[in-house]
Amino acid sequence: CYNAQISKHLICVTMLTVFSFKNLRATFSQAPLQLIAIFLAVFLTGLIGILSRPHELLAFFWPANALILALLLRFPKFNPLYILLAAILALAVANIATDNSPALTTALISADLTAIFSILLLLRCFGLHYKQYNQGLTFFYLLILIALGSAVGAITAVYALPLSSQQFIDNNYLWYEFVLWWTGEMQNYV
């Protein structure tokens, strides 16, 4: 009787392990295709944003951050590290392909990721169920969290971008530049 329980337990553990390895193997076999799709999507949206940027000014339209945030929120089972690595690589390639310096590329990507992480952190801290945005005041709260996260990204941009060699943020008008970056960031998320 005791041996029968042990054997049932071993069978259950073995079955769980087999199914876990099958799922893990399926995840790793699909990962390269998903990484390529994420890379291409973020690269194209980043390129659209860069091409919408007038010479030495902020981008008029930057959908890449909203896409990265959406990928991180809508696909929680996919490893967020893969999404972030593919997104960072795509943004870096798009920036360097359009003749941005490595310092400017680093500053821009850090401002973008700061905004994305801030919004994710605020969503997690406040426990906002973003999928239920059409119920009650959830959409309003979501807008507030996006505004706060965009402000954090704008603060990062205002402090990081003047350190790069190609400056398109004027040090004499930091408040004005902050407001432009902040409102532009919020527009792109909404």
Side-chain angles (χ1 to χ4, degrees):
C1 188
Y2 181 71
N3 289 337
Q5 285 181 331
I6 291 175
S7 63
K8 284 181 183 178
H9 180 68
L10 287 175
I11 290 172
C12 288
V13 169
T14 306
M15 294 301 285
L16 287 174
T17 306
V18 168
F19 287 124
S20 298
F21 283 130
K22 283 183 181 179
N23 291 339
L24 187 63
R25 194 171 349 133
T27 301
F28 282 125
S29 67
Q30 294 172 355
L33 183 59
Q34 292 170 342
L35 288 175
I36 291 170
I38 292 168
F39 175 86
L40 288 175
V42 174
F43 175 76
L44 290 175
T45 56
L47 205 55
I48 289 169
I50 292 169
L51 295 177
S52 76
R53 181 172 65 207
H55 183 66
E56 296 187 5
L57 294 174
L58 295 174
F60 172 72
F61 180 61
W62 189 258
N65 290 1
L67 176 67
I68 296 167
L69 181 64
L71 288 170
L72 289 169
L73 289 174
R74 294 294 295 162
F75 301 107
K77 291 184 181 179
F78 193 63
N79 191 345
L81 184 62
Y82 290 157
I83 295 172
L84 290 174
L85 289 176
I88 290 169
L89 184 63
L91 291 175
V93 169
N95 274 298
I96 291 174
T98 55
D99 293 331
N100 286 337
S101 69
L104 180 64
T105 300
T106 304
L108 289 169
I109 292 174
S110 66
D112 292 340
L113 291 178
T114 303
I116 293 166
F117 288 144
S118 298
I119 294 170
L120 282 173
L121 181 68
L122 289 169
L123 284 170
R124 299 280 194 283
C125 285
F126 287 103
L128 188 68
H129 300 291
Y130 61 91
K131 290 181 183 178
Q132 299 171 351
Y133 66 90
N134 59 350
Q135 295 177 357
L137 295 174
T138 305
F139 189 74
F140 178 68
Y141 295 138
L142 185 61
L143 287 176
I144 291 172
L145 297 183
I146 286 172
L148 292 173
S150 297
V152 172
I155 290 169
T156 305
V158 166
Y159 283 108
L161 287 175
L163 300 175
S164 68
S165 59
Q166 297 173 328
Q167 296 180 8
F168 56 84
I169 285 191
D170 190 356
N171 288 334
N172 298 325
Y173 300 103
L174 286 180
W175 174 250
Y176 178 72
E177 299 287 352
F178 166 78
V179 170
L180 285 176
W181 190 285
W182 181 34
T183 56
E185 191 85 20
M186 284 189 298
Q187 165 204 340
N188 290 317
Y189 284 115
V190 175

